[in-house]
mmCIF file of all heavy atoms in Angstrom:
data_model
loop_
_atom_site.group_PDB
_atom_site.id
_atom_site.type_symbol
_atom_site.label_atom_id
_atom_site.label_comp_id
_atom_site.label_asym_id
_atom_site.label_seq_id
_atom_site.Cartn_x
_atom_site.Cartn_y
_atom_site.Cartn_z
ATOM 1 N N THR K 205 -19.424 42.259 -13.911
ATOM 2 C CA THR K 205 -19.408 43.198 -12.790
ATOM 3 C C THR K 205 -18.605 42.600 -11.613
ATOM 4 O O THR K 205 -17.801 43.268 -10.976
ATOM 5 C CB THR K 205 -20.878 43.496 -12.370
ATOM 6 O OG1 THR K 205 -21.572 43.939 -13.503
ATOM 7 C CG2 THR K 205 -20.944 44.511 -11.244
ATOM 8 N N PHE K 206 -18.892 41.356 -11.363
ATOM 9 C CA PHE K 206 -18.199 40.677 -10.239
ATOM 10 C C PHE K 206 -16.690 40.657 -10.473
ATOM 11 O O PHE K 206 -15.890 40.960 -9.600
ATOM 12 C CB PHE K 206 -18.753 39.254 -10.123
ATOM 13 C CG PHE K 206 -18.658 38.662 -8.753
ATOM 14 C CD1 PHE K 206 -19.581 38.945 -7.795
ATOM 15 C CD2 PHE K 206 -17.627 37.798 -8.433
ATOM 16 C CE1 PHE K 206 -19.511 38.400 -6.500
ATOM 17 C CE2 PHE K 206 -17.516 37.215 -7.160
ATOM 18 C CZ PHE K 206 -18.453 37.536 -6.216
ATOM 19 N N TYR K 207 -16.332 40.312 -11.696
ATOM 20 C CA TYR K 207 -14.903 40.206 -12.080
ATOM 21 C C TYR K 207 -14.203 41.561 -11.957
ATOM 22 O O TYR K 207 -13.126 41.695 -11.353
ATOM 23 C CB TYR K 207 -14.819 39.682 -13.513
ATOM 24 C CG TYR K 207 -13.413 39.568 -14.072
ATOM 25 C CD1 TYR K 207 -12.468 38.748 -13.474
ATOM 26 C CD2 TYR K 207 -13.049 40.247 -15.212
ATOM 27 C CE1 TYR K 207 -11.182 38.611 -13.997
ATOM 28 C CE2 TYR K 207 -11.771 40.142 -15.755
ATOM 29 C CZ TYR K 207 -10.833 39.334 -15.126
ATOM 30 O OH TYR K 207 -9.588 39.215 -15.644
ATOM 31 N N GLU K 208 -14.823 42.608 -12.509
ATOM 32 C CA GLU K 208 -14.192 43.926 -12.515
ATOM 33 C C GLU K 208 -14.051 44.447 -11.081
ATOM 34 O O GLU K 208 -13.128 45.216 -10.759
ATOM 35 C CB GLU K 208 -15.058 44.921 -13.327
ATOM 36 C CG GLU K 208 -14.893 44.695 -14.802
ATOM 37 C CD GLU K 208 -15.766 45.615 -15.627
ATOM 38 O OE1 GLU K 208 -16.492 46.454 -15.043
ATOM 39 O OE2 GLU K 208 -15.787 45.461 -16.846
ATOM 40 N N THR K 209 -14.979 44.098 -10.232
ATOM 41 C CA THR K 209 -14.927 44.574 -8.875
ATOM 42 C C THR K 209 -13.823 43.901 -8.056
ATOM 43 O O THR K 209 -13.048 44.575 -7.351
ATOM 44 C CB THR K 209 -16.277 44.341 -8.148
ATOM 45 O OG1 THR K 209 -17.307 44.914 -8.945
ATOM 46 C CG2 THR K 209 -16.296 44.938 -6.753
ATOM 47 N N TYR K 210 -13.741 42.602 -8.171
ATOM 48 C CA TYR K 210 -12.912 41.843 -7.215
ATOM 49 C C TYR K 210 -11.570 41.363 -7.741
ATOM 50 O O TYR K 210 -10.699 41.000 -6.958
ATOM 51 C CB TYR K 210 -13.702 40.647 -6.694
ATOM 52 C CG TYR K 210 -14.933 41.066 -5.899
ATOM 53 C CD1 TYR K 210 -16.204 40.833 -6.368
ATOM 54 C CD2 TYR K 210 -14.777 41.671 -4.656
ATOM 55 C CE1 TYR K 210 -17.302 41.209 -5.627
ATOM 56 C CE2 TYR K 210 -15.896 42.038 -3.915
ATOM 57 C CZ TYR K 210 -17.172 41.825 -4.405
ATOM 58 O OH TYR K 210 -18.245 42.202 -3.671
ATOM 59 N N TYR K 211 -11.397 41.246 -9.038
ATOM 60 C CA TYR K 211 -10.136 40.686 -9.583
ATOM 61 C C TYR K 211 -9.194 41.865 -9.902
ATOM 62 O O TYR K 211 -9.205 42.394 -11.007
ATOM 63 C CB TYR K 211 -10.420 39.826 -10.805
ATOM 64 C CG TYR K 211 -10.889 38.422 -10.419
ATOM 65 C CD1 TYR K 211 -12.056 38.246 -9.690
ATOM 66 C CD2 TYR K 211 -10.123 37.304 -10.713
ATOM 67 C CE1 TYR K 211 -12.476 37.008 -9.294
ATOM 68 C CE2 TYR K 211 -10.528 36.028 -10.327
ATOM 69 C CZ TYR K 211 -11.720 35.892 -9.606
ATOM 70 O OH TYR K 211 -12.123 34.659 -9.203
ATOM 71 N N ALA K 212 -8.435 42.212 -8.909
ATOM 72 C CA ALA K 212 -7.495 43.324 -9.048
ATOM 73 C C ALA K 212 -6.400 43.190 -8.021
ATOM 74 O O ALA K 212 -6.570 42.500 -7.008
ATOM 75 C CB ALA K 212 -8.266 44.634 -8.800
ATOM 76 N N PRO K 213 -5.232 43.801 -8.286
ATOM 77 C CA PRO K 213 -4.110 43.599 -7.369
ATOM 78 C C PRO K 213 -4.386 44.035 -5.937
ATOM 79 O O PRO K 213 -3.831 43.435 -4.994
ATOM 80 C CB PRO K 213 -2.982 44.424 -7.993
ATOM 81 C CG PRO K 213 -3.587 45.239 -9.061
ATOM 82 C CD PRO K 213 -4.869 44.618 -9.441
ATOM 83 N N ASN K 214 -5.215 45.077 -5.759
ATOM 84 C CA ASN K 214 -5.511 45.509 -4.391
ATOM 85 C C ASN K 214 -6.473 44.608 -3.661
ATOM 86 O O ASN K 214 -6.793 44.875 -2.505
ATOM 87 C CB ASN K 214 -6.001 46.986 -4.370
ATOM 88 C CG ASN K 214 -7.204 47.198 -5.280
ATOM 89 O OD1 ASN K 214 -7.351 46.497 -6.297
ATOM 90 N ND2 ASN K 214 -8.068 48.138 -4.938
ATOM 91 N N ASN K 215 -6.904 43.544 -4.324
ATOM 92 C CA ASN K 215 -7.773 42.565 -3.626
ATOM 93 C C ASN K 215 -7.140 41.188 -3.686
ATOM 94 O O ASN K 215 -7.846 40.161 -3.559
ATOM 95 C CB ASN K 215 -9.151 42.566 -4.303
ATOM 96 C CG ASN K 215 -10.207 41.892 -3.426
ATOM 97 O OD1 ASN K 215 -10.247 42.116 -2.232
ATOM 98 N ND2 ASN K 215 -11.051 41.102 -4.064
ATOM 99 N N ALA K 216 -5.835 41.135 -3.939
ATOM 100 C CA ALA K 216 -5.211 39.840 -4.154
ATOM 101 C C ALA K 216 -3.922 39.668 -3.322
ATOM 102 O O ALA K 216 -3.275 40.640 -2.962
ATOM 103 C CB ALA K 216 -4.861 39.655 -5.636
ATOM 104 N N VAL K 217 -3.587 38.424 -3.053
ATOM 105 C CA VAL K 217 -2.323 38.093 -2.406
ATOM 106 C C VAL K 217 -1.653 37.003 -3.236
ATOM 107 O O VAL K 217 -2.254 35.937 -3.468
ATOM 108 C CB VAL K 217 -2.500 37.585 -0.941
ATOM 109 C CG1 VAL K 217 -1.169 37.213 -0.328
ATOM 110 C CG2 VAL K 217 -3.233 38.629 -0.100
ATOM 111 N N LEU K 218 -0.461 37.313 -3.693
ATOM 112 C CA LEU K 218 0.312 36.306 -4.481
ATOM 113 C C LEU K 218 1.290 35.605 -3.510
ATOM 114 O O LEU K 218 1.958 36.287 -2.722
ATOM 115 C CB LEU K 218 1.112 37.031 -5.567
ATOM 116 C CG LEU K 218 2.086 36.180 -6.348
ATOM 117 C CD1 LEU K 218 1.420 35.177 -7.265
ATOM 118 C CD2 LEU K 218 3.009 37.097 -7.192
ATOM 119 N N THR K 219 1.322 34.297 -3.584
ATOM 120 C CA THR K 219 2.234 33.511 -2.744
ATOM 121 C C THR K 219 3.209 32.762 -3.636
ATOM 122 O O THR K 219 2.744 32.090 -4.582
ATOM 123 C CB THR K 219 1.421 32.510 -1.899
ATOM 124 O OG1 THR K 219 0.313 33.192 -1.320
ATOM 125 C CG2 THR K 219 2.230 31.909 -0.802
ATOM 126 N N VAL K 220 4.469 32.840 -3.312
ATOM 127 C CA VAL K 220 5.467 32.080 -4.078
ATOM 128 C C VAL K 220 6.266 31.243 -3.072
ATOM 129 O O VAL K 220 6.959 31.784 -2.198
ATOM 130 C CB VAL K 220 6.428 33.031 -4.842
ATOM 131 C CG1 VAL K 220 7.501 32.217 -5.551
ATOM 132 C CG2 VAL K 220 5.642 33.874 -5.831
ATOM 133 N N ILE K 221 6.148 29.919 -3.197
ATOM 134 C CA ILE K 221 6.826 29.024 -2.254
ATOM 135 C C ILE K 221 7.643 28.030 -3.065
ATOM 136 O O ILE K 221 7.071 27.326 -3.935
ATOM 137 C CB ILE K 221 5.828 28.174 -1.410
ATOM 138 C CG1 ILE K 221 4.646 29.027 -0.904
ATOM 139 C CG2 ILE K 221 6.506 27.402 -0.331
ATOM 140 C CD1 ILE K 221 4.858 29.847 0.288
ATOM 141 N N GLY K 222 8.904 27.936 -2.821
ATOM 142 C CA GLY K 222 9.687 26.889 -3.501
ATOM 143 C C GLY K 222 11.070 27.275 -3.921
ATOM 144 O O GLY K 222 11.668 28.200 -3.381
ATOM 145 N N ASP K 223 11.550 26.556 -4.931
ATOM 146 C CA ASP K 223 12.938 26.613 -5.347
ATOM 147 C C ASP K 223 13.131 27.738 -6.378
ATOM 148 O O ASP K 223 13.435 27.488 -7.549
ATOM 149 C CB ASP K 223 13.310 25.247 -5.904
ATOM 150 C CG ASP K 223 14.827 25.050 -5.961
ATOM 151 O OD1 ASP K 223 15.548 25.993 -5.591
ATOM 152 O OD2 ASP K 223 15.259 23.949 -6.333
ATOM 153 N N VAL K 224 12.971 28.982 -5.925
ATOM 154 C CA VAL K 224 13.204 30.125 -6.800
ATOM 155 C C VAL K 224 13.836 31.200 -5.913
ATOM 156 O O VAL K 224 13.414 31.418 -4.773
ATOM 157 C CB VAL K 224 11.909 30.614 -7.496
ATOM 158 C CG1 VAL K 224 10.848 31.037 -6.500
ATOM 159 C CG2 VAL K 224 12.186 31.735 -8.464
ATOM 160 N N THR K 225 14.881 31.855 -6.433
ATOM 161 C CA THR K 225 15.589 32.844 -5.578
ATOM 162 C C THR K 225 14.773 34.110 -5.453
ATOM 163 O O THR K 225 13.891 34.416 -6.275
ATOM 164 C CB THR K 225 16.968 33.194 -6.175
ATOM 165 O OG1 THR K 225 16.733 33.857 -7.436
ATOM 166 C CG2 THR K 225 17.855 31.981 -6.359
ATOM 167 N N GLU K 226 15.120 34.882 -4.431
ATOM 168 C CA GLU K 226 14.427 36.134 -4.159
ATOM 169 C C GLU K 226 14.557 37.095 -5.367
ATOM 170 O O GLU K 226 13.568 37.743 -5.763
ATOM 171 C CB GLU K 226 14.956 36.770 -2.897
ATOM 172 C CG GLU K 226 14.148 37.947 -2.436
ATOM 173 C CD GLU K 226 14.749 38.626 -1.226
ATOM 174 O OE1 GLU K 226 15.995 38.481 -0.993
ATOM 175 O OE2 GLU K 226 14.032 39.293 -0.504
ATOM 176 N N ALA K 227 15.741 37.177 -5.932
ATOM 177 C CA ALA K 227 15.973 38.106 -7.036
ATOM 178 C C ALA K 227 15.103 37.761 -8.230
ATOM 179 O O ALA K 227 14.466 38.627 -8.831
ATOM 180 C CB ALA K 227 17.445 38.088 -7.404
#
Side-chain angles (χ1 to χ4, degrees):
Chain K
T205 304
F206 206 81
Y207 178 61
E208 285 177 3
T209 306
Y210 296 111
Y211 279 62
N214 54 330
N215 196 41
V217 178
L218 172 70
T219 313
V220 176
I221 317 280
D223 198 357
V224 60
T225 64
E226 188 183 24

